[in-house]
Amino acid sequence: MNAGRTQSDDWYLVRRDHDGSARVVAKNGELQGWRKLGSVYRGATFKAAEKVVGQVLSSGTVGVEGGVFCAPVAGPDGLPHAVLVSTTADPGEIPEVGVWEWRFPLTADAPPVLHVTPAALDQFGVGIESRDRTVYGPADFFTRAMNLSEILPHLGFLYDSDEGEQRAARTMMKGDDGEDRDLHFVEQVGSGPAGERVVRGLCWPAAYDPRALATRTLDIELATALAVAGDQFVAVGDIRFPYAPYVVKWVTSHPPGLGHGSSTGQTPGIHPDDLGRLLEYVMELGNVGPGDPAPTLAGIRARRAGGGWISGSGKGFRLSEQFYPTIWVALITPDHPEL
């Protein structure tokens, strides 16, 4: 969002706050802390910007008012979730901003559903082969994020934040093409038409600094190398929904041959005859106290790409009993594929 721009053709990313006021969340790709629109524009320019921002957020079409250019940033539902504003008459290429929306079920004790735009999938690095559905889940969002120190605060915000609460973050992603991506996130909690909890987010690339990127990934790269050397596969899972546990991310690659749905934590990845045992194991993990040994689970079969099943054994441990009690790390040793 910031490449090759000058002060006279700044791009401002603007979205509505929970009170309906227009707030500037980024300038040329740099976070701005939800500033008021009047803090960046003055006088007649502010009045024109305020008017055209309101018009574009309502209409979803490009608008120009008093020399202020405004373009919508559409969400997964096709409606404008934010706008990009410039005071240049011909601003040229409009920056790409990804949009997502988490929708929580009203009654079911289950994870939220993720709706996401193609622009966000591009920025997350989701390959075409993984875009095989229109609705996604937590595993799809987090599995490409590299650092648990960036993932877990996001999970905390997703489930524990209050109506109107906002969050800005910077998150490293490793795309399916193997390339690292450094993204800015901004999120806000709202509600849907039926009163359901909704968390809406925007993302765009941060300024590229290869040395900083490499430094931020050293810990996870070391952990991955140690796990691979130990001939184990490592996954981080969330058991806050005992009947719908999901994989947050694979620290290592997932076991060879594991079907796409299983590798991202989507059900039905577990053999029907083993699902009950897995859920019992998850319930048992939830009752493990601080310092207690975690049980081992063996013989669970997961769907194999191309048909059939693969089986293995695993053992889990908590990362933080105090702050993230539902987050577990699974150490998995696969058996031979079962045909």
Side-chain angles (χ1 to χ4, degrees):
M1 194 189 293
N2 56 3
R5 306 207 64 82
T6 66
Q7 188 173 1
S8 62
D9 62 355
D10 291 330
W11 278 112
Y12 290 98
L13 179 61
V14 179
R15 72 179 305 173
R16 291 285 190 203
D17 201 354
H18 67 281
D19 62 3
S21 61
R23 297 284 179 161
V24 177
V25 297
K27 173 185 177 182
N28 297 336
E30 294 301 317
L31 293 169
Q32 295 295 299
W34 297 79
R35 296 167 58 188
K36 292 182 178 180
L37 192 61
S39 69
V40 297
Y41 294 122
R42 299 285 192 273
T45 302
F46 165 68
K47 291 182 179 179
E50 186 178 44
K51 181 178 180 180
V52 74
V53 164
Q55 290 173 343
V56 174
L57 284 173
S58 297
S59 68
T61 58
V62 171
V64 179
E65 180 73 28
V68 179
F69 176 91
C70 187
V73 177
D77 53 7
L79 300 175
H81 284 223
V83 295
L84 285 158
V85 183
S86 174
T87 55
T88 300
D90 183 13
E93 184 178 356
I94 298 172
E96 190 170 61
V97 177
V99 186
W100 67 85
E101 184 174 84
W102 295 99
R103 286 192 173 271
F104 286 72
L106 282 171
T107 56
D109 187 19
V113 171
L114 175 66
H115 300 267
V116 61
T117 62
L121 293 175
D122 289 343
Q123 292 175 19
F124 294 169
V126 179
I128 297 299
E129 67 281 358
S130 297
R131 304 188 190 192
D132 52 0
R133 52 195 178 278
T134 57
V135 175
Y136 297 81
D140 300 290
F141 189 91
F142 293 109
T143 194
R144 293 169 184 82
M146 298 183 67
N147 298 320
L148 287 176
S149 60
E150 296 169 351
I151 293 172
L152 296 185
H154 185 108
L155 274 173
F157 181 84
L158 180 62
Y159 293 111
D160 302 329
S161 50
D162 297 324
E163 175 85 15
E165 194 170 339
Q166 307 151 350
R167 176 178 182 267
R170 194 161 174 169
T171 301
M172 287 276 296
M173 297 274 195
K174 183 174 285 293
D176 295 348
D177 57 5
E179 295 295 322
D180 294 343
R181 291 156 165 82
D182 191 10
L183 302 178
H184 283 303
F185 284 1
V186 292
E187 301 175 287
Q188 186 174 35
V189 183
S191 57
E196 71 275 24
R197 177 183 176 85
V198 176
V199 178
R200 298 181 176 93
L202 307 172
C203 67
W204 62 92
Y208 184 68
D209 183 343
R211 184 183 181 89
L213 291 183
T215 302
R216 284 167 60 194
T217 61
L218 289 178
D219 288 344
I220 192 64
E221 297 287 359
L222 175 60
T224 301
L226 292 174
V228 171
D231 199 26
Q232 286 187 315
F233 297 91
V234 182
V236 179
D238 189 350
I239 65 168
R240 74 183 65 233
F241 305 105
Y243 293 100
Y246 60 87
V247 173
V248 175
K249 77 171 273 86
W250 286 93
V251 177
T252 62
S253 61
H254 57 75
L258 192 64
H260 166 65
S262 304
S263 66
T264 57
Q266 308 297 315
T267 53
I270 303 300
H271 194 289
D273 294 342
D274 297 336
L275 183 58
R277 285 203 303 126
L278 176 62
L279 295 179
E280 288 177 2
Y281 181 75
V282 170
M283 298 289 286
E284 191 175 356
L285 288 180
N287 294 324
V288 172
D292 293 342
T296 298
L297 181 65
I300 293 293
R301 290 164 289 181
R303 190 173 302 280
R304 181 161 60 93
W309 305 89
I310 59 175
S311 63
S313 61
K315 186 173 183 178
F317 64 89
R318 276 194 181 99
L319 284 174
S320 172
E321 166 71 24
Q322 181 178 2
F323 298 109
Y324 301 105
T326 68
I327 303 299
W328 283 76
V329 175
L331 306 177
I332 301 165
T333 304
D335 302 325
H336 295 293
E338 179 182 328
L339 301 178

